[in-house]
Amino acid sequence: MAKYIFITGGVVSSLGKGVAAASCGALLQSRGYTVHARKFDPYLNIDPGTMSPFQHGEVYVTNDGFETDLDLGYYERFLGARLGRSDSVSGGRIYWDVLNAERRGDYLGATVQMIPHVSNKIKEYISAPTNTDFVVCEIGGTVGDIEGKIFLESIRQFANDVGRRNVMFIHLTLAPYLEKSGELKTKPTQMSVRNLLENGIQADMLIVRTPRMLEPDERAKIGMFCNLPAQNVISGIDVDNIYKIPLAYDAQHVFDIIADHFGLPHAAGNMEKFKRIEHHLSADLPTVTIGMVGKYFHVPDAYKSLNEALFHAGIQNNVHVKIKKINAEEFAPESCADVDGILVPGGFGVRGVAGKIAAAGYARETGVPYMGICLGMQVAVIDFARNVLGWADADSTEFNKNAKPVIDIMAAHDAENMGGTLRLGAYPCDITPGTLAHSIWSAEHISERHRHRYEMNIEYEKEFADAGMIISGRSPDGRLPEIVELKNHPFFIAGQFHPEFQSSPYTGHPMFNAFIAAAKKRKS
Ligand code: GLN
């Protein structure tokens, strides 16, 4: 059976529980243990797919086509874990399951109650088999939230069911610094740990978010009030990059604390991959500028995975990547005068599309490296149809129902997906040997994640190819174009999928790595 680490948070929200959990997982991995991650969100939405990206940042998509919030991306990136539908569970989903079971008569007429019916359902999700040594479970929200109570009750029961030595509770809190008195205040942490204890949970380790390292006397004081050894009180100091956090925890012997709890031997970890990132961040390297032509810049984290993927590719190419945000609605060729590459990301709706088409056209004509993602591929196709093939009325039927439909809802995927709903999650793609795509992925069969409704219309393949835009990746049945590229261009490639969801900070993603390499070449 896997060992479980539960991460809760108190005092305030947004303390970075996800990154803390992922960092603890990374320390375990660095000692050779396998780790899976799960997230429980007490809110009542049934899944995050319907939650506004304006509140939650980007919609992250898993391999199994679950639309979730960007926290899952941290786990996948940090841990290389592949998460899915059963790893991102909301309160709403739990209640939905329980109430549906009640309607079906599964409870045989028993009175349906928070305990045991809801708590058992939560425990069912917690204990779903993972085949890993550890499962790191984050409990969303803040201790004291009404919605969160039943989740705390369930993890308390779970620890009692499987044995206290198989479960560790890590609690994140905040120690505010009072400028006036020059003091770090520990009372909110004490209150939060007490609040947790009221739910029957004794924290085994505290990560205290502070602007500076806790002094020994502060750790001793917190330990004394919170009923745990001072050495188990860790400073979660602010850092300028999240990949420094595993190193900061390692320096404070977090692995040894976890190992002691579970009765495992102390061991030094291999932290090289994090040291490499830390070193990259401060290294004196050239900077390439990528013009990102988008329209959601006012939403914090709207392009989270994309920004990450560009950063990862910079590490692989020994350059710093600067992202120049270009508002698609105000696009002018001059906006690209100082960029080394142009990236058009995904998007929905007609607003800003004209600027994106112009950006693709600018890259096509000037030889600036171009990478298109999803809508970024569709606009490259529309530009090519209008301005190279001379089809003035070419468009996506998303924007113009009467257009020459170079981008359309394709029957093939329509049938597969219940009539025009989003194509979501990982799909296989076959790559044509000898193409740029082939040299990028070094493979003929790849899998990338999707989130879109419209597709390039394969019926026009010949006209496009004859004029220089080829389909270099397609669905195995041959009906859905997945990658297009320009033959007579230094680097022009676009995919119908979202490669950013599979980029790793340790290896990058082939498509981004190649794009940044091309931008670096262009710059020099
Ligand atoms: N709006 C386009 C579609 O639905 C592109 C979506 C996207 O870029 N994710 O096909």
Side-chain angles (χ1 to χ4, degrees), residues 50-111:
T50 53
M51 294 170 78
S52 165
F54 297 101
Q55 257 184 49
H56 293 265
E58 82 177 358
V59 178
Y60 190 79
V61 181
T62 59
N63 270 338
D64 64 356
F66 194 56
E67 292 178 285
T68 172
D69 66 23
L70 49 82
D71 290 344
L72 257 69
Y74 287 113
Y75 291 114
E76 292 211 329
R77 286 190 285 268
F78 259 88
L79 302 175
R82 285 296 167 251
L83 276 54
R85 191 173 292 272
S86 55
D87 302 312
S88 168
V89 183
S90 67
R93 174 120 150 258
I94 301 277
Y95 296 122
W96 187 254
D97 283 1
V98 168
L99 293 175
N100 279 312
E102 189 275 334
R103 288 290 86 183
R104 281 195 309 267
D106 293 3
Y107 300 123
L108 306 174
T111 307

Side-chain angles (χ1 to χ4, degrees), residues 2-208:
K3 296 186 182 302
Y4 279 78
I5 297 179
F6 290 103
I7 315 265
T8 55
V11 183
V12 293
S13 58
S14 305
L15 288 176
K17 287 195 294 287
V19 175
S23 298
C24 290
L27 292 184
L28 292 164
Q29 284 184 334
S30 74
R31 271 77 177 177
Y33 295 102
T34 54
V35 180
H36 191 68
R38 289 209 164 111
K39 187 173 184 218
F40 291 85
D41 279 306
Y43 54 65
L44 295 186
N45 303 65
I46 289 176
D47 66 53
T50 53
M51 294 170 78
S52 165
F54 297 101
Q55 257 184 49
H56 293 265
E58 82 177 358
V59 178
Y60 190 79
V61 181
T62 59
N63 270 338
D64 64 356
F66 194 56
E67 292 178 285
T68 172
D69 66 23
L70 49 82
D71 290 344
L72 257 69
Y74 287 113
Y75 291 114
E76 292 211 329
R77 286 190 285 268
F78 259 88
L79 302 175
R82 285 296 167 251
L83 276 54
R85 191 173 292 272
S86 55
D87 302 312
S88 168
V89 183
S90 67
R93 174 120 150 258
I94 301 277
Y95 296 122
W96 187 254
D97 283 1
V98 168
L99 293 175
N100 279 312
E102 189 275 334
R103 288 290 86 183
R104 281 195 309 267
D106 293 3
Y107 300 123
L108 306 174
T111 307
V112 180
Q113 297 185 288
M114 294 300 280
I115 303 167
H117 301 98
V118 174
S119 53
N120 281 353
K121 181 55 75 180
I122 295 172
K123 289 195 285 182
E124 217 176 89
Y125 276 107
I126 290 173
S127 57
T130 59
N131 261 325
T132 53
D133 303 320
F134 284 88
V135 181
V136 183
C137 281
E138 175 189 349
I139 307 295
T142 309
V143 169
D145 292 348
I146 289 180
E147 294 99 330
K149 278 254 169 201
I150 190 65
F151 285 85
L152 296 180
E153 167 61 14
S154 302
I155 63 176
R156 181 198 68 76
Q157 287 181 18
F158 181 79
N160 195 48
D161 295 347
V162 301
R164 198 59 184 83
R165 285 295 140 206
N166 292 315
V167 170
M168 182 171 184
F169 294 113
I170 299 181
H171 189 56
L172 237 79
T173 69
L174 175 75
Y177 180 75
L178 287 194
E179 205 78 53
K180 276 268 159 48
S181 56
E183 274 179 302
L184 213 55
K185 306 307 285 185
T186 64
K187 186 76 90 197
T189 294
Q190 298 172 36
M191 304 294 282
S192 182
V193 172
R194 191 169 306 160
N195 205 332
L196 198 57
L197 203 51
E198 279 167 18
N199 294 278
I201 295 170
Q202 167 64 50
D204 300 309
M205 182 172 118
L206 296 180
I207 299 174
V208 184

Side-chain angles (χ1 to χ4, degrees), residues 346-348 373-375 378 398 451-454 498:
F348 290 83
I373 294 177
C374 208
L375 182 62
Q378 299 174 357
E398 178 179 6
R451 181 171 185 262
H452 58 100
R453 257 181 212 100
Y454 295 81
H498 288 272

Side-chain angles (χ1 to χ4, degrees), residues 305-317:
S305 295
L306 212 49
N307 296 340
E308 281 275 332
L310 289 168
F311 170 60
H312 303 164
I315 300 171
Q316 297 304 316
N317 282 289

Side-chain angles (χ1 to χ4, degrees), residues 325-478:
K325 300 172 186 168
I326 301 173
N327 183 348
E329 289 173 275
E330 290 154 18
F331 180 83
E334 302 79 71
S335 355
C336 292
D338 55 350
V339 305
D340 308 307
I342 295 176
L343 189 153
V344 177
F348 290 83
V350 73
R351 195 166 55 79
V353 164
K356 292 181 181 185
I357 295 171
Y362 175 89
R364 176 177 52 74
E365 283 171 355
T366 57
V368 176
Y370 180 83
M371 174 164 170
I373 294 177
C374 208
L375 182 62
M377 165 169 154
Q378 299 174 357
V379 295
V381 168
I382 295 169
D383 161 65
F384 196 85
R386 288 185 191 169
N387 301 314
V388 178
L389 294 172
W391 301 345
D393 60 341
D395 210 335
S396 165
T397 53
E398 178 179 6
F399 313 129
N400 180 359
K401 297 277 175 258
N402 304 315
K404 188 177 179 72
V406 290
I407 307 290
D408 201 359
I409 291 183
M410 302 298 281
H413 123 236
D414 215 23
E416 204 173 302
N417 284 296
M418 303 169 296
T421 54
L422 288 172
R423 174 145 78 113
L424 281 170
Y427 280 82
C429 165
D430 291 350
I431 290 182
T432 313
T435 58
L436 173 62
H438 189 225
S439 75
I440 288 177
W441 273 271
S442 307
E444 285 175 32
H445 306 286
I446 62 167
S447 169
E448 294 286 352
R449 294 183 200 170
H450 292 248
R451 181 171 185 262
H452 58 100
R453 257 181 212 100
Y454 295 81
E455 313 275 354
M456 179 184 181
N457 193 336
I458 192 104
E459 282 169 31
Y460 305 115
E461 173 168 20
K462 183 160 173 7
E463 288 96 323
F464 275 86
D466 289 348
M469 178 178 266
I470 60 164
I471 297 172
S472 53
R474 66 190 76 219
S475 59
D477 67 6

